[in-house]
Amino acid sequence: MRKISVIIAGRHQTSICLEDEFYDELKKIAAHEKKSINELVTEIDATRDNNNLSSAIRVFILKKLL
């Protein structure tokens, strides 16, 4: 499990916990989309239905892999 700090919308700093495999995939998606991790997490945060950001990121990654 990896704890990483992110800045959402350029102003709100928070930490998320992701398994290494999910974090690695998040980095790959961000690179493929030519975005920073912060930009990608900001987008996920803005569209999530789940109260838990880490869970929303995992679901986002799973949907991308399907």
Side-chain angles (χ1 to χ4, degrees):
M1 189 73 84
R2 182 180 296 211
K3 186 173 185 174
I4 59 169
S5 293
V6 294
I7 299 174
I8 298 173
R11 64 182 181 278
H12 175 74
Q13 186 169 354
T14 190
S15 295
I16 55 174
C17 290
L18 292 173
E19 293 79 7
D20 289 338
E21 295 83 0
F22 280 105
Y23 183 65
D24 291 342
E25 197 61 39
L26 183 66
K27 290 190 303 185
K28 287 179 190 175
I29 294 168
H32 178 74
E33 295 186 7
K34 295 181 175 43
K35 297 176 183 172
S36 69
I37 295 289
N38 290 335
E39 290 170 322
L40 189 56
V41 171
T42 295
E43 290 178 12
I44 296 168
D45 182 60
T47 60
R48 68 182 162 135
D49 296 329
N50 189 322
N51 287 336
N52 185 296
L53 181 56
S54 294
S55 293
I57 292 169
R58 288 184 192 94
V59 170
F60 170 83
I61 292 167
L62 288 174
K63 287 180 178 180
K64 283 286 190 179
L65 293 173
L66 295 178

